[in-house]
């Protein structure tokens, strides 16, 4: 699977939510999206989970000491991440379609 590298960050000015910033364009993220996030020098696979207060958690697929675990993202920080190229292209295609309407 091909991936695109970018940054997961909170975007208070544009959408007041989390986004995946690829440098040349950013896309909004939502609960359930698959990502790989850099933790302790390794990219770990997980799914995004929005919290009630606008926060974001990455529920990691792997386990730590045989238990599932989550990585809490803080709004004032940026996180190196990867997302499947197919997912990014699908979202960008949806934006292009909306622009045509």
């Amino acid at each position: 699977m091909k991936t695109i590298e970018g940054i997961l960050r909170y975007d208070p000015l544009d959408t007041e939510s989390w986004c995946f910033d690829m440098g040349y364009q950013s896309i909004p993220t939502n609960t359930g999206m698959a990502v790989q996030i850099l933790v302790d020098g390794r990219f770990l696979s997980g799914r995004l989970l929005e919290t009630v207060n606008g926060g974001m958690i990455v529920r990691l697929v792997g386990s730590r000491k045989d238990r599932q675990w989550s990585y809490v993202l803080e709004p004032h920080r940026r996180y190196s991440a990867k997302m499947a190229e197919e997912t990014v292209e699908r979202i960008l295609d949806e934006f292009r379609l909306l622009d045509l309407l």
Side-chain angles (χ1 to χ4, degrees):
M1 169 177 64
K2 289 185 179 182
T3 59
I4 295 176
E5 289 193 42
I7 305 266
L8 277 175
R9 65 178 177 83
Y10 187 74
D11 188 359
L13 299 177
D14 187 21
T15 59
E16 293 188 21
S17 63
W18 287 87
C19 67
F20 181 70
D21 188 341
M22 299 166 280
Y24 57 91
Q25 188 167 5
S26 62
I27 58 173
T29 59
N30 55 37
T31 293
M33 292 180 91
V35 297
Q36 294 177 24
I37 188 163
L38 187 63
V39 178
D40 297 332
R42 296 183 334 168
F43 280 97
L44 303 177
S45 297
R47 295 215 173 258
L48 296 175
L49 177 64
E50 292 179 72
T51 61
V52 176
N53 62 357
M56 185 71 76
I57 295 172
V58 179
R59 176 91 52 200
L60 295 163
V61 175
S63 63
R64 197 175 253 191
K65 295 184 181 179
D66 297 325
R67 292 185 298 194
Q68 293 294 316
W69 61 292
S70 298
Y71 192 81
V72 179
L73 305 182
E74 299 174 19
H76 61 278
R77 294 188 56 202
R78 295 169 174 238
Y79 300 89
S80 294
K82 294 180 182 180
M83 192 174 283
E85 183 178 46
E86 179 181 297
T87 301
V88 171
E89 288 300 322
R90 181 176 40 82
I91 293 168
L92 291 174
D93 286 346
E94 289 172 5
F95 284 149
R96 289 182 198 113
L97 181 61
L98 288 175
D99 285 342
L100 293 175
L101 297 177

